[in-house]
Amino acid sequence: VFIFKILFLSVLFSVQTRTQTDSTFFLKKYSDIAKQIIAAAYKDSSAWERMAYMCDTFGPRLSGSENLENAIKWLESQMLLDGMDNVRLEQVPVPHWHRGSEYCLLLSPHKANIPMLGLGGSVATPKEGITGQVLVITDFDELEKRKSEATGKIVVFNQPFYDYAQSVQYRTYGAIKAAQAGAIACLIRSVSPIGMQNPHTGMMRYNDTVLKIPAAAITAEYSAMLERMQRRGQNPIVKLYMEAETLPDAISHNVICELKGGEKADEIIAAGGHIDSWDTGTGAQDDGAACIAIWHAIKLLKELGLKPRRTIRTVLWTNEENGVMGGKKYTEIHKYEKHVLMFEFDSGTFPPSDLRFKGHDTLMKIVQSFKPLLDMVEPMKIVDGWVGVDIRYMMDLGVPGMSIDTRDQDKYFWYHHSPADTPDKINPQDINKCVAAIAIALYLYADLPVELPWQQPIAHQGTK
Ligand SMILES: [Zn+2]
């Protein structure tokens, strides 16, 4: 704590001449550079092409899969081809969950195939599947009230989409709550603002003291239909079959390359997205395009001969979706280096709308001065807030965090974790706008003319 405070004091002193870091200063010093970055980003189609090539060629990139490792090896080869500095892969042991065959059938009052996806981490059903009457409920409160009716049934959470944070609780904790009420399986309405008979998977959890029951997502249309049937007293019967299994941990890799900085090259800005995806769709929006946008932002700076004071490192973290082992391993290996900023992009590749920042007020004030330059790409707000899953372990050590948010957040969740998350959902001009905004933000931060505090593990014992 003591050392960290001293470091912060040094920042406060060095920004005493506010004119060194206000927006007039940034505009004057960097507007030509920002224009150069934007022009170069907009005339280059390679980010979109590489995203589409990766998704089409290697397919979905679930942790533990050969697809993911093939994509990782390809990324490494492309970074070498680009002439990036310090290209390397770092080993990360990751969970290895495998979906296997699965289906969900409506047996009564009519026969139909219900589009579904088992939830990540779920156990299998017995070989003969699980057949039962359903109990459709809206939320955990209703389950609590109707607990006695749940025994021996398949509980269906028909939770409407309010926002991701609210509705995802049913995906995460539904199986635990349903099992506690005596259910034999758990179905959730897919976490998405629209249905279109498109199921959405994602991570779920068990609790070691509660029976592990199989869990899957079905479509919004079938969740609503089951509820209507129940209301009419039609007692719908459903059969669920899943072969899901958790295999021994596999080896995956974080993918790293750098743009070496100038006089403060030992100070690092680590920026990336997560290279793994779910096993459905090809992880274009989540998070392939963002990974490539970050790497291309840094590649663009290199191609323009823009060498900031500090080093900018691209890190494509593995296993964000079902374990965050890439983010944890990165912290374990690199926490002793002087990180001055962690940056993550994992919010959908649409036109950029916000630059998010989490850090000391003094730094926030500096980051707010970036606005006029970012506005040259799209009108952007500079906001305080949540910045990312993979970078949170480094941030727990005191490193500031940054991310960009994009418009069309609702649309993002149309595709998220579903078979519809494919390259056609990304507009080439949007990915270029993200490349430009990220390149500007990272360059400005990496080139700041003030002393920046950097994290030291010993300084953080007992904090946060
Ligand atoms: Zn993601």
Side-chain angles (χ1 to χ4, degrees):
V1 180
F2 180 65
I3 290 174
F4 200 56
K5 277 194 179 145
I6 289 181
L7 285 166
F8 263 130
L9 283 176
S10 71
V11 179
L12 293 168
F13 285 129
S14 38
V15 291
Q16 56 189 340
T17 30
R18 185 46 49 78
T19 48
Q20 247 196 314
T21 51
D22 68 7
S23 52
T24 324
F25 162 81
F26 283 110
L27 258 176
K28 209 172 139 207
K29 181 151 188 221
Y30 294 102
S31 59
D32 283 345
I33 287 175
K35 280 181 204 152
Q36 236 183 309
I37 288 172
I38 293 166
Y42 287 11
K43 66 165 197 254
D44 184 0
S45 60
S46 63
W48 194 92
E49 294 297 343
R50 271 178 162 162
M51 176 279 298
Y53 179 90
M54 178 178 79
C55 293
D56 295 346
T57 309
F58 306 108
R61 302 179 299 278
L62 184 60
S63 290
S65 70
E66 221 178 275
N67 287 2
L68 174 60
E69 295 317 295
N70 289 340
I72 284 172
K73 276 181 230 141
W74 174 78
L75 285 162
E76 183 192 26
S77 74
Q78 297 301 296
M79 287 173 175
L80 287 166
L81 210 68
D82 288 351
M84 302 302 293
D85 300 323
N86 285 328
V87 177
R88 62 198 186 272
L89 301 182
E90 289 181 352
Q91 281 201 4
V92 183
V94 294
H96 188 188
W97 178 81
H98 178 71
R99 174 180 307 283
S101 293
E102 57 181 17
Y103 59 79
C104 184
L105 300 175
L106 176 66
L107 297 178
S108 169
H110 73 268
K111 289 196 173 56
N113 197 3
I114 302 178
M116 60 80 78
L117 280 170
L119 296 182
S122 176
V123 296
T125 61
K127 279 203 162 39
E128 66 280 12
I130 290 176
T131 301
Q133 225 181 310
V134 303
L135 174 68
V136 188
I137 49 122
T138 309
D139 54 30
F140 292 140
D141 286 346
E142 191 186 351
L143 179 66
E144 192 55 41
K145 283 181 205 128
R146 302 180 67 177
K147 223 170 180 166
S148 59
E149 296 172 64
T151 313
K153 294 206 180 103
I154 298 174
V155 163
V156 180
F157 289 101
N158 182 28
Q159 160 78 191
F161 186 86
Y162 297 109
D163 60 49
Y164 189 67
Q166 159 69 19
S167 302
V168 79
Q169 295 180 60
Y170 293 83
R171 191 188 79 205
T172 312
Y173 304 109
I176 298 172
K177 300 273 190 184
Q180 280 170 331
I184 50 176
C186 168
L187 297 177
I188 62 151
R189 165 165 156 173
S190 288
V191 183
S192 174
I194 57 157
M196 307 297 277
Q197 296 289 20
N198 188 32
H200 300 247
T201 189
M203 195 54 187
M204 54 86 64
R205 282 194 202 155
Y206 288 121
N207 177 331
D208 280 340
T209 63
V210 178
L211 183 70
K212 295 178 180 174
I213 59 171
I218 59 172
T219 59
E221 287 84 352
Y222 272 99
S223 304
M225 187 194 290
L226 291 170
E227 182 164 44
R228 290 194 300 274
M229 289 167 169
Q230 173 175 285
R231 220 186 306 129
R232 295 184 200 109
Q234 289 174 308
N235 286 332
I237 307 289
V238 162
K239 177 179 176 182
L240 179 67
Y241 175 83
M242 290 170 64
E243 292 177 356
E245 58 181 334
T246 299
L247 302 162
D249 282 0
I251 293 295
S252 186
H253 301 84
N254 287 337
V255 188
I256 298 179
C257 69
E258 289 174 358
L259 170 64
K260 266 249 162 285
E263 78 249 30
K264 288 183 183 293
D266 62 329
E267 293 186 12
I268 292 155
I269 289 170
H274 64 88
I275 195 54
D276 66 309
S277 76
W278 281 103
D279 56 341
T280 170
T282 52
Q285 281 284 9
D286 188 15
D287 190 28
C291 285
I292 288 175
I294 298 245
W295 153 35
H296 275 234
I298 297 166
K299 171 173 111 74
L300 189 77
L301 296 176
K302 179 189 149 56
E303 284 167 359
L304 292 172
L306 295 169
K307 193 187 185 78
R309 287 190 172 84
R310 298 171 183 83
T311 295
I312 309 178
R313 174 183 290 167
T314 310
V315 189
L316 308 183
W317 288 282
T318 192
N319 185 232
E320 185 267 353
E321 296 291 4
N322 57 339
V324 204
M325 297 312 292
K328 287 177 195 160
K329 194 72 188 177
Y330 181 86
T331 306
E332 199 183 305
I333 298 175
H334 296 282
K335 65 184 173 191
Y336 298 103
E337 293 169 318
K338 295 182 179 179
H339 283 79
V340 295
L341 181 71
M342 299 300 293
F343 185 107
E344 179 156 8
F345 182 19
D346 184 17
S347 50
T349 300
F350 298 102
S353 59
D354 301 48
L355 185 72
R356 283 178 180 255
F357 184 76
K358 197 97 210 147
H360 195 277
D361 288 350
T362 312
L363 293 171
M364 182 58 165
K365 283 205 183 80
I366 296 176
V367 171
Q368 270 159 349
S369 311
F370 294 179
K371 183 173 161 53
L373 293 158
L374 293 166
D375 284 348
M376 292 164 73
V377 180
E378 281 281 313
M380 282 177 77
K381 293 196 292 283
I382 314 287
V383 296
D384 182 349
W386 166 253
V387 286
V389 171
D390 294 291
I391 62 178
R392 70 167 188 249
Y393 300 98
M394 287 298 290
M395 290 178 65
D396 283 347
L397 299 174
V399 185
M402 188 185 275
S403 69
I404 61 166
D405 252 7
T406 55
R407 294 188 216 300
D408 303 325
Q409 279 308 291
D410 245 33
K411 226 187 218 176
Y412 177 57
F413 290 105
W414 294 3
Y415 315 129
H416 186 254
H417 298 181
S418 88
D421 186 4
T422 45
D424 49 287
K425 305 308 186 304
I426 289 157
N427 177 331
Q429 181 61 9
D430 291 351
I431 196 169
N432 287 346
K433 283 183 178 171
C434 291
V435 168
I438 293 165
I440 292 169
L442 290 179
Y443 185 76
L444 293 178
Y445 204 97
D447 207 42
L448 285 175
V450 293
E451 290 300 313
L452 291 176
W454 44 271
Q455 138 283 334
Q456 260 203 353
I458 52 157
H460 296 282
Q461 282 167 9
T463 63
K464 298 235 168 166

